[in-house]
């Protein structure tokens, strides 16, 4: 099952990395509702693609803050249910010139940090 955290107008500048807690909370709500629906349907995996999370121009974003926001959102989403796993999709290019999750290696780093006890 896929949860769309890029299609809403307010997600145009990102859903998990943005400074707006309101927007990040909406993305988490979508993920949690998707996980709940997946469980009701007997599905044990939910995917999402934070492809609008990125930047168009160098120095346009506070990269460290954006990364920390994404880590926190992945932690929150993955902790919602233990019976449904959250999967993230990366993509080399998308709406934004530079996606934060543009390689498998970067996505694995995000997932490794998100599950690390030092971030809990």
């Amino acid at each position: 099952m896929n949860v769309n955290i890029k299609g809403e107008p307010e997600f145009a500048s990102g859903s998990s990395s943005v400074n707006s807690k309101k927007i990040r909370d909406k993305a988490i709500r979508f993920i949690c509702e998707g996980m709940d629906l997946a469980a009701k349907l007997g599905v044990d995996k939910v995917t999402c693609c934070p492809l609008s999370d990125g930047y168009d121009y160098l120095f346009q974003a506070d990269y460290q803050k954006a990364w920390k926001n994404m880590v926190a959102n992945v932690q929150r989403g993955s902790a919602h249910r233990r019976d449904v796993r959250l999967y993230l999709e990366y993509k080399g290019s998308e709406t934004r010139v530079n996606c934060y999750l543009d390689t498998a290696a970067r996505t694995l780093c995000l997932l490794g940090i998100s599950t690390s006890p030092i971030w809990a």
Side-chain angles (χ1 to χ4, degrees), residues 23 40 45 51 61 69 74 85 102 106:
I23 293 173
K40 285 182 186 176
K45 296 172 190 69
L51 302 178
N69 288 341
V74 169
R85 291 187 170 256
D102 60 350
R106 194 171 300 202

Side-chain angles (χ1 to χ4, degrees), residues 65-77:
K65 181 148 178 67
W67 189 256
K68 288 178 182 180
N69 288 341
M70 289 187 77
V71 168
N73 261 29
V74 169
Q75 287 174 330
R76 288 176 61 202

Side-chain angles (χ1 to χ4, degrees), residues 2 10 17 19 22 28 40 50-51 53 58 74 104 107 114-115:
N2 183 266
E10 56 267 47
S17 65
N19 287 331
K22 181 179 176 182
I28 288 298
K40 285 182 186 176
L51 302 178
D53 286 284
L58 292 177
V74 169
T107 305
S114 297
T115 57

